[in-house]
Amino acid sequence: MARHIYRCPLRWSDMDAFGHVNNVVFLRYLEEARIDFMFRLAPGDGSPSFSGGSVVARHEIDYVRPLVHRHEPVFIESWVTKISAASLTIAYEVKEEDDPSTVYVRASTVVVPFNLESQRPRRISAEEKSFLEKYLDKAALAA
């Protein structure tokens, strides 16, 4: 199983009054990683996959340890834990690149492909499913 890697820069404004990255900011980090992951398929070869839109149906976040501002980016690994006919679940770990045992956040997002024209959810295409399966954690499915 492959994992998508995204290096996410931290911004000074990400800090809260307590000197660490605010919990809400992590949703932005996850969004950046998710968009980078999902749009790897679509724009390069003119594929329409995922370019028609998607919506977030659910987020789940476990904050493991505080992250303080620094100039080095955080390392976000993303992979797929579930693919159904009309949704997928992406898992993430926000961690240190040079020390992967230092995890700040573990999270997951349920994403629903969406047809912007009809304003309705749509099914995952065969092309999208083929792309997603490369990142599917089959061990998570068995558990």
Side-chain angles (χ1 to χ4, degrees):
M1 167 200 67
R3 288 196 177 191
H4 176 263
I5 306 301
Y6 179 72
R7 287 168 181 81
C8 185
L10 280 65
R11 294 159 288 275
W12 182 255
S13 61
D14 294 348
M15 282 192 304
D16 62 17
F18 301 109
H20 54 69
V21 173
N22 186 274
N23 66 83
V24 174
V25 172
F26 280 100
L27 284 171
R28 283 191 218 124
Y29 294 169
L30 300 179
E31 176 186 51
E32 289 178 35
R34 183 175 62 256
I35 297 303
D36 190 66
F37 169 58
M38 292 180 70
F39 283 87
R40 293 280 166 164
L41 178 61
D45 299 320
S47 168
S49 293
F50 297 120
S51 61
S54 62
V55 294
V56 170
R58 176 180 174 82
H59 284 300
E60 195 169 311
I61 302 176
D62 292 320
Y63 299 96
V64 179
R65 64 170 30 113
L67 173 61
V68 296
H69 183 269
R70 79 286 181 84
H71 296 289
E72 300 80 31
V74 288
F75 188 67
I76 304 175
E77 286 188 21
S78 306
W79 64 97
V80 177
T81 58
K82 183 178 178 184
I83 304 170
S84 68
S87 71
L88 64 127
T89 303
I90 300 173
Y92 318 83
E93 283 187 342
V94 179
K95 58 175 114 181
E96 290 293 333
E97 183 171 9
D98 53 346
D99 180 11
S101 66
T102 303
V103 176
Y104 298 102
V105 163
R106 288 189 179 95
S108 65
T109 303
V110 176
V111 178
V112 176
F114 197 76
N115 183 315
L116 295 172
E117 190 175 299
S118 67
Q119 289 295 297
R120 299 184 51 82
R122 65 170 179 82
R123 294 192 148 327
I124 293 174
S125 72
E127 182 184 24
E128 290 165 339
K129 186 174 182 181
S130 175
F131 170 77
L132 294 169
E133 284 176 337
K134 296 174 196 165
Y135 296 90
L136 183 62
D137 184 353
K138 294 182 173 61
L141 291 174

